[in-house]
Amino acid sequence: MTALEKATGDVVFKFEPFVLHVLCQELQDAQLLHSVAIDSGFRNSGITVGRGGKITMAVRSTHCLEVPLSHKGKLMVSEEYIEFLVQVANRKMEENT
């Protein structure tokens, strides 16, 4: 809260979820891993194939959280709401495991 009170610009509370990049030898390997990731709840997962044929499988969660707290130095939310956001982010962090 002390840092927020001293802020002169915009402040955003941000939580970014688990991300795992796996280099795969074969497209079939990536497809299998993708199926497992989707079935496990990692709905933002995907496969990319680079110019050189490098196959990368990204396991990504949907547990994002991004909330503005202040604008031009003015706090836009209560301390109680910030405490709530921290609890929500901590639960999301537990879901990552």
Side-chain angles (χ1 to χ4, degrees):
M1 290 308 299
T2 302
L4 279 173
E5 292 167 2
K6 294 178 182 179
T8 58
D10 295 353
V11 175
V12 176
F13 183 96
K14 188 172 184 177
F15 171 83
E16 293 187 357
F18 169 83
V19 177
L20 173 68
H21 291 101
V22 180
L23 187 60
C24 300
Q25 286 186 334
E26 303 289 333
L27 184 56
Q28 293 170 337
D29 300 330
Q31 290 171 329
L32 177 61
L33 181 56
H34 182 260
S35 295
V36 171
I38 296 296
D39 291 345
S40 297
F42 294 97
R43 293 182 293 267
N44 280 353
S45 299
I47 300 170
T48 57
V49 180
R51 292 182 192 158
K54 184 170 80 170
I55 303 166
T56 304
M57 168 56 205
V59 180
R60 289 188 218 111
S61 172
T62 59
H63 299 101
C64 298
L65 179 65
E66 188 169 349
V67 182
L69 300 179
S70 70
H71 179 65
K72 295 182 180 177
K74 180 182 177 194
L75 187 61
M76 305 301 288
V77 298
S78 68
E79 184 174 348
E80 179 182 8
Y81 185 68
I82 294 170
E83 290 171 5
F84 169 73
L85 288 176
V86 170
Q87 291 174 5
V88 170
N90 284 340
R91 280 195 305 269
K92 289 178 179 289
M93 181 65 84
E94 289 174 12
E95 290 176 25
N96 274 332
T97 59

